[in-house]
Structures are given as C-alpha cells and as structure tokens.
Amino acid sequence: MITELEKKIQKAKLNIKPFPHIVIKNFLSLTTLKRLNVVLPNYDDVNKDQVIFQSSSETKKIIMQDSKVFKNLLKKNIFKQVNNNLKKIKPTILKKFKNEISKNVNTQFVNSKIEYNMNFALMKKGYLKSPHLDRRDHLISGVYYPASETNKGGNLEMYKTKKKTQIFDVFPSKKNLKIGKNYKINKNFCVFFLNVPWAYHSVTKYYGETDRKYFYIDYDFKGKKSSSSTKSRKKGLNESFFWKNSAKVKSTSRKKLFLTE
C-alpha cells in the first residue's frame, strides 16, 4: 500500500491557486477501500459523549485519537494499516510541498519536527461549513473520503481573497472571498493542502441520505498543545507565529464560541 500511495502523491499535480494543494481521486485500492468501509461506524453508531462537535447543528461527529471509539477502531487491522500508512507517507507529502513551505513558513520553523495526527469524522444530511482557516499548527492538512454519496452536495470549495490584507481572519465574511476551486466529493477522493493563512475553504450543504465518512489528516508543527487532544480541538489554536503572514479570529463572538452553523 505505501509504495502505491507514494507514487500517486508524486504524480499528483501541485496546484498553487487559490492555495497550494494536490488532489488524488482514487486514493486507496478498491480492495483496501472495501475492507476499510466494512469496519467504519455510521453516524448513529457513535454516542454523543464519545465525540466532539464543531457546529451547533450537530450534523458532524468528530472522533479524536484519544477517544475510546478511535482506540477500538485501531484494533481493526485494516484501520490500523491505513492509519500507519498515512503516517508513513509524511516524508513524501513534505517533499511535495517543500518549495511552498520554504516560501511561506518562517525560517526558524522550516525544518521543524513535524508530527502526524489523524481523526475520523461522520457527517450526516444537512451538514455544511462556512469559509474558515484550519488551526495554525497544521502545516499540511489532508481530507480523505472513504464513503460519500455522489452528486448530493457537500462540495469542497476553496477561496481566494478579493482584497489584500496584512492579517487574515480565521472566520472571514463570504463577501470578501471568491471561489477559486469547487470540488465534487466522491468516495475514495483525497486532498492535501498547505495550511497557509489564506487557505480558506468551506463545505456546501450535504444532502446525501447515507453518511459521509472521512479522515482528517494533519502534519503538524510540534507545540505545547497537541492537535490530537480533544481539549485542544475544542478551543482551537490560532497563533500564527509559524507563518510569515498573520491570521487571527477577528470576531469577538467567535473567540468565545468556536461552534459554527
């Protein structure tokens, strides 16, 4: 599996606009995908007290590494195998984005030790996500979708800013953005992107009758607060000292409450 994944990453086109990213439409082999989907739970299989929510609608459940559900998934050979290989491809991913990392990361952090983190999410009908930036400690983020209904919304939209700014807003107004890329999501679709301070992205409303399932893959700068921690994820991490450009939460209400739609 690892050799096949590395080749796909190496062959993928590095898109620079609206921010650096690569797309791989058939990420895992069909045999591996089938085995993986057998062990993945559905939205209703996981209790509320075992997940975190980042939207008030509670239409997406995030299963963190330190949760009992995630630890039980790791007991499944195929889930453990996929997780291990996502960790092993880190050098290939870093090499793919090497030039863009040098351009956008502060010099003292360019050669930082980068840690792998992953969590699993379940989305049901009605979920959407407004434009935002991910946590600033993520150097490169990836999203892999082993299960999703086709042509049922839930598109991944990537934005470019209409005006230049010195400090980027973590939760910007949509009126200040313009869509640069609009990706329809199918099962086995994967995207990796450099988490620059203008890496604005959103998810349109999902209308599928079956759950969308996906992995959040992060290659992170090492810090005092680990991104694999449930406690850290609930509060967010918006310090941008890793990056040459700054980003912060400009909204007073969003500083107090991280929940969105």
Side-chain angles (χ1 to χ4, degrees), residues 19-20 97 100-110 114 133-141 166 168 193-199 219-221 237-247:
F19 47 86
F97 288 90
E100 294 303 312
I101 290 172
S102 296
K103 290 178 185 177
N104 294 290
V105 173
N106 279 321
T107 305
Q108 66 267 40
F109 297 110
V110 167
I114 303 300
L133 297 176
D134 286 351
R135 293 162 53 97
R136 298 289 80 217
D137 59 335
H138 301 330
L139 171 63
I140 296 170
S141 293
Q166 295 297 317
F168 293 89
F193 63 90
L194 187 67
N195 192 32
V196 289
W198 56 91
Y219 304 103
D220 296 336
F221 294 105
L237 181 64
N238 299 303
E239 293 86 354
S240 54
F241 47 81
F242 300 114
W243 302 92
K244 290 181 180 179
N245 294 89
S246 297

Side-chain angles (χ1 to χ4, degrees), residues 198-213:
W198 56 91
Y200 291 116
H201 55 287
S202 69
V203 181
T204 64
K205 185 173 284 190
Y206 181 61
Y207 296 101
E209 296 296 335
T210 58
D211 299 337
R212 173 179 285 181
K213 305 175 184 183

Side-chain angles (χ1 to χ4, degrees), residues 40-245:
L40 296 178
N42 295 316
Y43 183 95
D44 291 333
D45 294 334
V46 184
N47 295 330
K48 284 187 177 183
D49 60 354
Q50 297 173 316
V51 304
I52 63 172
F53 295 104
Q54 289 184 330
S55 61
S56 55
S57 65
E58 298 190 352
T59 47
K60 183 178 75 171
K61 293 178 177 178
I62 302 174
I63 300 166
M64 300 295 293
Q65 287 185 27
D66 55 5
S67 70
K68 185 177 180 179
V69 177
F70 194 97
K71 291 174 182 177
N72 285 335
L73 281 170
L74 283 175
K75 295 177 182 178
K76 308 291 185 180
N77 287 335
I78 185 60
F79 187 91
K80 183 177 181 180
Q81 183 184 5
V82 170
N83 182 53
N84 286 342
N85 280 284
L86 291 173
K87 183 177 182 178
K88 288 178 182 178
I89 62 173
K90 180 179 72 172
T92 308
I93 291 290
L94 292 176
K95 185 176 180 180
K96 189 73 177 182
F97 288 90
K98 182 179 179 180
N99 290 338
E100 294 303 312
I101 290 172
S102 296
K103 290 178 185 177
N104 294 290
V105 173
N106 279 321
T107 305
Q108 66 267 40
F109 297 110
V110 167
N111 296 314
S112 296
K113 181 178 179 181
I114 303 300
E115 298 182 331
Y116 163 76
N117 287 299
M118 188 269 279
N119 59 74
F120 175 62
L122 297 160
M123 174 204 291
K124 69 176 183 177
K125 183 177 181 180
Y127 176 79
L128 75 157
K129 183 76 171 180
S130 57
H132 65 284
L133 297 176
D134 286 351
R135 293 162 53 97
R136 298 289 80 217
D137 59 335
H138 301 330
L139 171 63
I140 296 170
S141 293
V143 190
Y144 171 59
Y145 305 83
S148 183
E149 279 194 58
T150 305
N151 297 322
K152 294 293 183 179
N155 291 8
L156 174 63
E157 295 182 333
M158 295 181 172
Y159 298 88
K160 52 186 176 182
T161 56
K162 292 181 179 179
K163 297 180 180 179
K164 291 184 178 180
T165 181
Q166 295 297 317
I167 300 176
F168 293 89
D169 191 353
V170 173
F171 301 108
S173 168
K174 205 167 184 177
K175 68 181 181 181
N176 296 325
L177 304 174
K178 184 177 180 179
I179 295 176
K181 294 281 186 179
N182 186 343
Y183 290 110
K184 289 184 178 181
I185 304 302
N186 299 311
K187 66 178 181 181
N188 216 14
F189 178 99
C190 186
V191 57
F192 290 97
F193 63 90
L194 187 67
N195 192 32
V196 289
W198 56 91
Y200 291 116
H201 55 287
S202 69
V203 181
T204 64
K205 185 173 284 190
Y206 181 61
Y207 296 101
E209 296 296 335
T210 58
D211 299 337
R212 173 179 285 181
K213 305 175 184 183
Y214 48 111
F215 294 82
Y216 280 114
I217 308 154
D218 293 307
Y219 304 103
D220 296 336
F221 294 105
K222 188 175 181 179
K224 293 180 180 180
K225 299 177 182 179
S226 172
S227 280
S228 63
S229 158
T230 299
K231 185 177 180 180
S232 295
R233 281 296 176 105
K234 284 183 176 180
K235 293 185 177 180
L237 181 64
N238 299 303
E239 293 86 354
S240 54
F241 47 81
F242 300 114
W243 302 92
K244 290 181 180 179
N245 294 89

